[in-house]
Amino acid sequence: MVPTTLAQIPELKQIETIIKGRNKTHLSSKVLCYVPFQDNLLPIYALTLGNQVQDVPCITYVAGVHGLERIGTQVVVTFLEGLLERLEWDQVTVDLLQRVRIHILPLINPIGMYNNTRANGQGVDLMRNAPIDSQEKTIWLGGGHRISPSLPWYRGKAGMPMQPEAQALCDFIIREVFPASFSIVLDCHSGFGFRNQIWFPYARSRLEPIKHIKEVYYLRKLFMHTYPHQEYLFEPQAKHYLVHGDLWDYLYLQSLERGNIFLPLTLEMGSWRWVRKNPLQIRQLLGLFHPMKPHRHRRVLRSHLILLDFLLHATLSYQNWIHKSREPEIEKMALSLWYS
């Protein structure tokens, strides 16, 4: 088997075109692992911009964990292309990258994207694959199960190592992100609800707030005040459903041993409204997760750039606001909002 890119994965070809482009002064890349598929080896890439000193603030954009949710990869790649264009002429962006590190992992599950499946090539849902269990009862099947890879939301066999895609993501976060003094991850998904939502851990408990609930609450406050006309719903994932094996729960719990601040967020783009506006697209499986109309697709690609840019600046400037999040009343307001 040799490393290759299947022509049927245009997102992967687009990523490789960027890597081979003219921006080598600013952009570095590495292959986290190769995943075998049909006598091919498909790469999982990590792309990096900015200051390489380990303890500078760091933001990571992740997408393509579920192969059906192509729009997440496309949003992240669009954001990267905009950054690279700005680096050609915008001194503000050049200066910004001296003080922050940006990682982009745009396609974690290339086999799933090729197959138009949520799971990877082994039928495993990567977001149910971490060695961690929910503390409370989950919904049947959807919360993660070990029955069969033929059913959606399969976790994998008990006691087996994580799938290579999930392991590569976790290893990268632990190695490259955890040492940062402050870090945010935004993992981009689609397919749940009529609203765009930003979720944070835990996915394993409705009752237990994360240790950094004050910081998350204040980050939400900054976003709402900076962009008062935005429409995101910002809350714990557990307010919607609980799952076993959530990768971000798993990584967040490990991060607590380091003492730095690690805030993993999930963007869940509300695909149901795309279906509501164009019901015929449900004739295609991809239509449940993707804006099929060209004008709607363009709108989605540009509409989330504000969020991605805000999180970049909030990461860079965290020392200007993080101390305000530690005022005593902040925790009370957070608990009242999300856990009352």
Side-chain angles (χ1 to χ4, degrees), residues 195-200 215-221 223-224 230-236 239-240 265 307 310-311 337-338:
R195 294 188 63 178
N196 295 318
Q197 302 179 62
I198 304 168
W199 292 343
F200 59 89
E215 290 84 352
V216 171
Y217 179 88
Y218 203 85
L219 182 68
R220 172 188 177 274
K221 179 180 177 181
F223 186 46
M224 300 295 180
Q230 58 76 35
E231 57 173 9
Y232 294 92
L233 183 64
F234 200 136
E235 58 189 9
K239 290 185 77 72
H240 299 277
L265 307 174
L307 171 64
F310 166 80
L311 292 175
L337 176 63
W338 290 318

Side-chain angles (χ1 to χ4, degrees), residues 171-192:
D171 289 347
F172 180 86
I173 295 295
I174 292 168
R175 183 179 66 250
E176 303 291 343
V177 177
F178 277 8
S181 53
F182 177 92
S183 60
I184 290 176
V185 172
L186 183 70
D187 182 16
C188 299
H189 292 255
S190 67
F192 184 87

Side-chain angles (χ1 to χ4, degrees), residues 57-58 177-185 211-212 215-216 252 255-256 258-264 318 321-323 325-326:
C58 173
V177 177
F178 277 8
S181 53
F182 177 92
S183 60
I184 290 176
V185 172
K211 178 181 177 181
H212 296 101
E215 290 84 352
V216 171
Y252 178 75
S255 76
L256 297 179
R258 304 295 184 105
N260 294 339
I261 300 175
F262 171 71
L263 304 180
Y318 82 97
W321 60 268
I322 201 72
H323 65 283
S325 71
R326 292 165 184 159

Side-chain angles (χ1 to χ4, degrees), residues 132-138 143 155 202-210 238 242-246 249 253:
I132 184 173
D133 294 327
S134 173
Q135 296 178 334
E136 300 156 33
K137 184 177 178 60
T138 67
R155 298 181 63 187
Y202 291 111
R204 67 176 190 156
S205 173
R206 293 187 179 91
L207 305 176
E208 180 186 1
I210 62 172
L242 300 175
V243 302
H244 300 293
D246 185 86
D249 281 12
L253 288 168

Side-chain angles (χ1 to χ4, degrees), residues 74-301:
Q74 293 171 13
V75 166
V76 165
V77 170
T78 298
F79 180 68
L80 172 61
E81 289 177 328
L83 281 176
L84 294 174
E85 285 296 326
R86 293 180 73 93
L87 286 169
E88 295 291 319
W89 58 269
D90 181 11
Q91 190 61 42
V92 171
T93 303
V94 174
D95 293 343
L96 178 149
L97 289 182
Q98 302 303 310
R99 297 182 288 136
V100 69
R101 182 167 62 258
I102 304 171
H103 296 303
I104 298 179
L105 282 61
L107 180 47
I108 299 298
N109 184 7
I111 297 177
M113 193 164 286
Y114 176 81
N115 287 331
N116 271 332
T117 60
R118 177 183 174 91
N120 73 349
Q122 303 302 313
V124 175
D125 186 328
L126 300 178
M127 284 308 297
R128 306 288 188 275
N129 189 227
I132 184 173
D133 294 327
S134 173
Q135 296 178 334
E136 300 156 33
K137 184 177 178 60
T138 67
I139 58 174
W140 187 65
L141 293 183
H145 65 86
R146 301 195 188 276
I147 301 171
S148 166
S150 299
L151 298 172
W153 306 295
Y154 179 60
R155 298 181 63 187
K157 291 183 179 179
M160 295 297 290
M162 279 195 290
Q163 294 293 296
E165 301 94 332
Q167 190 66 63
L169 170 60
C170 291
D171 289 347
F172 180 86
I173 295 295
I174 292 168
R175 183 179 66 250
E176 303 291 343
V177 177
F178 277 8
S181 53
F182 177 92
S183 60
I184 290 176
V185 172
L186 183 70
D187 182 16
C188 299
H189 292 255
S190 67
F192 184 87
F194 291 104
R195 294 188 63 178
N196 295 318
Q197 302 179 62
I198 304 168
W199 292 343
F200 59 89
Y202 291 111
R204 67 176 190 156
S205 173
R206 293 187 179 91
L207 305 176
E208 180 186 1
I210 62 172
K211 178 181 177 181
H212 296 101
I213 191 70
K214 301 185 298 297
E215 290 84 352
V216 171
Y217 179 88
Y218 203 85
L219 182 68
R220 172 188 177 274
K221 179 180 177 181
L222 288 177
F223 186 46
M224 300 295 180
H225 287 187
T226 305
Y227 298 103
H229 305 297
Q230 58 76 35
E231 57 173 9
Y232 294 92
L233 183 64
F234 200 136
E235 58 189 9
Q237 179 178 335
K239 290 185 77 72
H240 299 277
Y241 56 86
L242 300 175
V243 302
H244 300 293
D246 185 86
L247 292 175
W248 301 117
D249 281 12
Y250 174 68
L251 285 166
Y252 178 75
L253 288 168
Q254 291 195 57
S255 76
L256 297 179
E257 302 173 5
R258 304 295 184 105
N260 294 339
I261 300 175
F262 171 71
L263 304 180
L265 307 174
T266 297
L267 168 61
E268 191 72 37
M269 289 177 263
S271 68
W272 296 1
R273 58 181 172 177
W274 307 332
V275 174
R276 181 177 60 190
K277 293 179 179 179
N278 182 32
L280 292 179
Q281 72 181 51
I282 63 172
R283 294 182 299 181
Q284 306 174 59
L285 182 58
L286 184 62
L288 292 171
F289 303 92
H290 196 78
M292 304 300 286
K293 293 286 189 179
H295 72 280
R296 195 161 292 127
H297 181 254
R298 291 192 297 269
R299 183 183 304 138
V300 173
L301 288 182

